[in-house]
Amino acid sequence: MHLAYPTVLAALLFCVGLYGVLARRNAILVLMSVELMLNAVNLNLVAFDVWLRDALHAGQALTLFTIAIAAAEIGIGLAIVLLVYRNRGTADIDRLRDLREDAEDGTDATERPADRDEKAEAAA
């Protein structure tokens, strides 16, 4: 088996997952995209393990650990998303701003500095 086939497939899967993380705003789709990226890494680990003919099969063992960690991450992530959806009614990532911290001077931390200066001048 050539090493190029699984590595190209893994690269394509990783790119699709990366696009899903960057372009999607639904939290569940972002978690699915992260899972797709982890599966691309697992495919590379197994492919290189077969290609190197490792006697200990370290790539396959590391893949099992990655699958276990990914399952735990998805379980916790879905629980958080479901709780947020139950409280907010949406799973849109852009609308979730309750965990944001305000600046020390009481202004909104997401404001641009120019907007803050204009507000300070208007208040004075």
Side-chain angles (χ1 to χ4, degrees):
M1 179 176 82
H2 296 288
L3 185 61
Y5 299 132
T7 54
V8 168
L9 178 63
L12 289 174
L13 284 174
F14 192 85
C15 290
V16 168
L18 185 63
Y19 174 75
V21 168
L22 295 176
R24 300 292 180 196
R25 293 295 161 228
N26 189 347
I28 295 174
L29 291 177
V30 170
L31 287 174
M32 289 174 59
S33 298
V34 169
E35 186 71 24
L36 193 63
M37 291 168 63
L38 287 172
N39 285 331
V41 171
N42 289 339
L43 181 60
N44 268 335
L45 285 171
V46 171
F48 277 100
D49 183 51
V50 169
W51 184 64
L52 292 173
R53 294 185 178 95
D54 186 20
L56 295 176
H57 299 292
Q60 293 179 18
L62 191 58
T63 298
L64 288 176
F65 286 119
T66 307
I67 290 171
I69 290 171
E73 176 253 337
I74 290 297
I76 291 171
L78 279 177
I80 291 170
V81 168
L82 288 175
L83 285 174
V84 167
Y85 183 77
R86 187 179 301 163
N87 290 334
R88 297 279 170 227
T90 183
D92 190 11
I93 294 174
D94 289 335
R95 293 189 178 182
L96 303 177
R97 301 196 182 270
D98 281 349
L99 298 178
R100 134 184 110 198
E101 293 183 20
D102 290 335
E104 291 178 10
D105 58 357
T107 59
D108 190 6
T110 59
E111 287 182 307
R112 294 180 302 167
D115 292 340
R116 279 189 238 152
D117 292 341
E118 288 175 7
K119 284 184 180 180
E121 288 175 8

